[in-house]
C-alpha cells in the first residue's frame, strides 16, 4: 500500500514509518518543513511538504494514498484544531472508498481505572477532553475504515517524553529521585516498536475498526519505574513524592494525568489481530537497556 503518514519524524511516527517500509509499504510523509522532509526521506519515505490545516492541500495529499495514519501533534493548545482538520481532510478524501484511516489516541481519556478495555467509559481529564468528539467523528464515517489506536505510555530506543521526565526527576538531599505523586499509581506502557507493529497490523487487516487499546500488560507502578530510572542515571534510589509536589513540578493539568492509576491487558489487540509485544518492559530498559547513562 501507499500510506500517507503525518508525524513521520516524531517519536512514534518515525517508528511507524520504519515498520511500514521494512514490510514493503510505500510511505508518503506529510511534513511541515524542509528539515522534516529530509529526515523522512532518510527513513525511506517520499516527503510532501504542506500545512495540514490547509484543508484543500491536505485533501489532495490524502486522496492519492491507499490508507492514512495520523500521529502528528503540536503538543499544545492547538492540538485539537490539528486533529480536527486532519479528520475532516481524510474523511473528504476517502469518502466512498472504504480506505483505512488510523489515528493515535491516548489512554488518559479513560481516567483512573485498574482494568481498562475498549468498552470502559471515558472520564477524560481536562488535558485530553478534546479527543473524544474528534475520534467519534472519525469512527462514525460509514465509508471509511477508521481506527483509533489508544496508546499507553510509549517508550523505547532511549526516547519518549514520560521516560525522559522520570530520568530527569528532582532529587532529595541524598540524591534519590522523587516520584510523581506517592508513586503508587500504575502506568500502562508499550514499547514504541511494538506500537508501530500494531499500527501496521491495523492497516493490513480488512476487519479492523473502532478503538484498540495497546499496552504491554505489565502495568508498573510509578515507584517501580522511578526506582529503575534511578539505576539508569546512577542515583541511589527513589523516594515518594506528593500530589502537591507533582502539581508544582508539572502544573495542574499535566499532573492530573500523571497521577491517574491505569492498567490494561490490551486483550482485544491480542485476540482480534494476534498482536504480541516482543520488546523489554520499560523497567527493564531503564535497568539494562537504551536509557542507561
Amino acid at each position: 500500500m501507499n500510506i500517507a503518514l503525518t508525524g513521520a519524524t516524531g517519536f512514534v511516527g518515525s517508528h511507524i514509518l520504519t515498520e511500514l517500509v521494512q514490510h514493503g509499504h510505500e510511505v508518503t510523509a506529510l511534513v511541515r518543513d524542509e528539515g522534516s522532509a529530509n529526515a523522512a526521506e532518510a527513513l525511506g519515505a517520499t516527503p510532501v511538504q504542506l500545512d495540514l490545516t490547509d484543508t484543500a492541500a491536505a485533501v489532495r495529499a490524502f486522496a492519492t494514498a491507499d490508507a492514512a495514519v495520523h500521529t502528528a501533534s503540536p503538543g499544545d493548545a492547538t492540538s485539537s484544531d490539528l486533529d480536527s482538520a486532519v479528520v475532516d481532510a481524510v474523511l473528504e478524501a476517502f469518502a466512498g472508498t472504504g480506505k483505512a484511516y488510523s489515528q493515535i489516541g491516548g489512554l488518559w481519556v479513560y481516567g483512573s481505572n485498574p482494568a481498562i478495555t475498549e468498552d470502559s467509559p471515558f472520564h477524560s481529564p481536562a488535558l485530553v477532553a478534546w479527543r473524544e468528539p474528534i475520534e467519534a467523528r472519525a469512527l462514525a464515517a460509514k465509508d471509511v475504515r477508521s481506527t483509533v489506536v489508544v496508546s499507553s505510555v510509549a517508550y523505547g530506543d532511549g526516547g519518549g517524553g514520560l521516560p525522559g521526565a522520570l530520568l530527569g526527576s528532582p532529587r532529595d538531599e541524598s540524591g534519590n529521585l522523587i516520584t510523581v505523586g506517592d508513586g503508587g499509581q500504575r502506568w500502562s506502557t508499550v514499547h514504541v516498536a511494538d506500537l508501530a507493529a500494531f499500527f501496521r497490523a491495523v492497516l493490513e487487516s480488512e476487519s479492523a475498526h473502532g478503538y484498540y487499546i495497546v499496552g504491554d500488560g505489565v502495568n508498573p507502578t510509578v515507584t517501580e519505574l522511578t526506582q529503575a530510572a534511578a539505576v539508569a542515571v546512577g542515583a541511589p534510589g527513589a523516594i515518594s513524592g506528593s500530589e502537591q509536589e507533582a502539581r508544582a513540578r508539572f502544573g495542574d493539568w499535566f499532573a492530573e494525568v500523571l497521577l491517574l492509576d491505569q492498567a490494561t491487558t490490551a486483550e482485544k489487540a491480542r485476540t482480534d489481530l494476534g498482536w504480541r509485544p516482543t520488546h523489554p518492559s520499560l523497567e527493564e530498559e531503564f535497568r539494562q537497556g537504551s536509557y542507561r547513562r
Side-chain angles (χ1 to χ4, degrees):
M1 287 187 287
N2 183 330
I3 300 166
L5 172 65
T6 76
T9 59
F11 179 54
V12 173
S14 63
H15 283 81
I16 294 174
L17 193 168
T18 298
E19 173 77 12
L20 293 174
V21 169
Q22 288 180 345
H23 287 82
H25 297 291
E26 298 178 2
V27 176
T28 300
L30 308 185
V31 298
R32 60 185 177 183
D33 54 42
E34 185 176 358
S36 296
N38 292 337
E41 188 171 25
L43 292 173
T46 300
V48 172
Q49 193 171 326
L50 80 166
D51 178 356
L52 287 169
T53 63
D54 180 341
T55 301
V59 169
R60 289 194 297 271
F62 285 121
T64 62
D66 301 313
V69 176
H70 173 45
T71 68
S73 176
D76 57 27
T78 67
S79 295
S80 61
D81 293 336
L82 178 65
D83 271 20
S84 185
V86 168
V87 167
D88 287 345
V90 169
L91 295 187
E92 181 176 341
F94 286 6
T97 67
K99 291 180 180 180
Y101 167 64
S102 186
Q103 70 179 59
I104 194 165
L107 204 66
W108 292 335
V109 296
Y110 293 99
S112 286
N113 186 333
I116 298 171
T117 72
E118 289 78 4
D119 295 323
S120 296
F122 293 109
H123 292 292
S124 298
L127 186 69
V128 293
W130 54 270
R131 284 189 176 278
E132 182 183 354
I134 297 172
E135 293 169 354
R137 193 162 83 249
L139 295 176
K142 302 299 184 183
D143 50 4
V144 177
R145 185 170 62 79
S146 300
T147 55
V148 176
V149 177
V150 183
S151 177
S152 298
V153 172
Y155 68 91
D157 297 338
L162 291 188
L166 294 182
L167 294 168
S169 298
R171 305 190 184 203
D172 70 359
E173 296 85 351
S174 300
N176 297 296
L177 302 186
I178 300 173
T179 65
V180 179
D182 65 12
Q185 73 273 32
R186 288 161 291 183
W187 286 359
S188 176
T189 55
V190 63
H191 193 285
V192 66
D194 289 325
L195 177 61
F198 186 77
F199 268 98
R200 177 175 62 83
V202 162
L203 295 174
E204 293 177 346
S205 170
E206 295 184 359
S207 63
H209 181 269
Y211 280 101
Y212 287 92
I213 292 170
V214 182
D216 59 18
V218 179
N219 304 310
T221 66
V222 170
T223 292
E224 292 169 336
L225 291 176
T226 311
Q227 288 171 338
V231 175
V233 299
I239 65 164
S240 293
S242 66
E243 179 176 338
Q244 181 180 13
E245 189 279 331
R247 291 184 181 278
R249 193 194 320 179
F250 295 105
D252 287 338
W253 280 22
F254 196 35
E256 183 180 13
V257 298
L258 299 183
L259 293 168
L260 294 174
D261 179 38
Q262 297 189 308
T264 184
T265 61
E267 186 60 30
K268 181 182 176 183
R270 299 166 189 263
T271 301
D272 286 10
L273 296 177
W275 174 81
R276 294 290 185 276
T278 61
H279 289 76
S281 69
L282 176 53
E283 188 174 355
E284 292 170 327
E285 283 285 279
F286 276 153
R287 293 186 180 278
Q288 57 195 26
S290 58
Y291 294 93
R292 289 297 297 271
R293 297 178 177 175

